Amino acid sequence: MADSDDILIIGSFVSPYVRKVLACMALKRLAYTIDPITPFYGNDDFTRLSPLRRIPVLVQGDLALSDSSVICAWLDEARPDTHPLLPASPADRARARWLEEFADTRMGDVFIWGLFYQKVVRPLVWKEPGDAARIAATLETDMPMVLDYLEGQLPEDGFLFGDIGLADVAVASFFPNARYAGFEVDAARWPRTAGFVDRCLAHECFAATSRWEAAQLSTNPAGRRAALEQAGAPLSETSYALKEPRQGVMTL
């Protein structure tokens, strides 16, 4: 891998997929600059880098990667000398990949599109109320199903495969967004999940960006770069942002 200082990450600090990549980069001790856009505000050049108009995107020289799982796999292969993101045994590696997939797909659908998007993004970006029926179904049915599954998969103490790694990061990354939408895990009903999430989010790999996430949440999309610059975030010199949002090609 070339000098890590020329890695650009495109994406919002509040995205769980960006959070996942940045936590893995922290574990790898890799530096980066960031263009902290919400995908709806990406311009045509952003679309060329991310055809689905989703984040994060990693750019290093001529290389552009536009999926968090692909990015994390590349990080582990390009920098195998520091903090492996996957466990050693084939069986554990397969299970770690499955938990990452479960997080990216099922948890993404429930935590983000069913809750965070409806309660936070739609009012903020599109100036419209969220889908009340979908929010209710998420809270009453979908979220408990996800948490019941995780309760049977997550450890009572420590992390999934010894030291913290990709599977832990992928699962934990969705819970801040649930909190931003007003949902907290019931520790009496799901004690393993609640404890696991607290341990992961307290780890230095997440703490590394927590102040920038807080700075972003303190303002609206128009004021984001100024707030992050004041907070000391490693911002890129240029941005792929538009002033007005537009929908992507993916259905929600």
Side-chain angles (χ1 to χ4, degrees):
M1 178 185 288
D3 187 346
S4 62
D5 288 342
D6 65 353
I7 292 178
L8 169 66
I9 300 295
I10 304 170
S12 161
F13 282 107
V14 176
S15 160
Y17 301 101
V18 174
R19 190 181 294 118
K20 166 185 158 186
V21 165
L22 296 183
C24 288
M25 291 188 70
L27 292 174
K28 293 285 188 182
R29 308 294 181 191
L30 292 172
Y32 58 88
T33 58
I34 187 165
D35 180 10
I37 67 168
T38 298
F40 309 108
Y41 288 87
N43 61 20
D44 289 341
D45 288 332
F46 170 75
T47 303
R48 282 189 280 275
L49 294 172
S50 179
L52 301 183
R53 290 183 59 78
R54 293 201 167 179
I55 53 176
V57 178
L58 180 148
V59 180
Q60 186 184 48
D62 294 333
L63 177 68
L65 304 173
S66 59
D67 177 86
S68 67
S69 295
V70 172
I71 291 170
C72 289
W74 177 79
L75 291 171
D76 220 20
E77 293 170 359
R79 194 66 178 266
D81 53 315
T82 55
H83 199 109
L85 299 177
L86 292 172
S89 81
D92 284 346
R93 291 169 77 88
R95 183 166 173 247
R97 290 189 179 102
W98 157 245
L99 288 169
E100 181 191 19
E101 174 66 16
F102 179 80
D104 285 356
T105 54
R106 182 56 177 161
M107 292 180 68
D109 185 55
V110 173
F111 282 60
I112 302 306
W113 300 115
L115 187 64
F116 181 75
Y117 182 83
Q118 303 301 331
K119 295 190 73 173
V120 179
V121 177
R122 283 182 68 169
L124 180 65
V125 174
W126 306 113
K127 313 302 181 186
E128 63 186 25
D131 183 334
R134 185 166 184 181
I135 294 169
T138 296
L139 294 174
E140 294 168 11
T141 303
D142 296 333
M143 187 73 78
M145 288 177 63
V146 168
L147 296 175
D148 285 345
Y149 176 73
L150 291 177
E151 192 69 10
Q153 300 296 313
L154 301 176
E156 185 175 359
D157 297 300
F159 302 109
L160 279 156
F161 304 102
D163 202 354
I164 192 170
L166 177 60
D168 309 284
V169 167
V171 170
S173 288
F174 286 89
F175 285 86
N177 293 79
R179 290 174 178 170
Y180 299 150
F183 178 85
E184 290 283 350
V185 178
D186 182 347
R189 184 174 178 182
W190 298 289
R192 284 177 176 260
T193 303
F196 173 83
V197 171
D198 287 346
R199 288 192 300 278
C200 287
L201 296 181
H203 192 277
E204 63 178 359
C205 70
F206 285 106
T209 58
S210 60
R211 68 186 186 278
W212 300 327
E213 196 163 328
Q216 179 176 325
L217 289 168
S218 72
T219 186
N220 56 31
R224 179 174 300 169
R225 280 188 73 91
L228 287 169
E229 183 176 14
Q230 186 174 5
L235 300 182
S236 58
E237 292 184 4
T238 59
S239 177
Y240 288 87
L242 293 170
K243 290 184 178 181
E244 299 296 329
R246 64 186 185 187
Q247 293 283 3
V249 299
M250 298 290 285
T251 57
L252 305 182

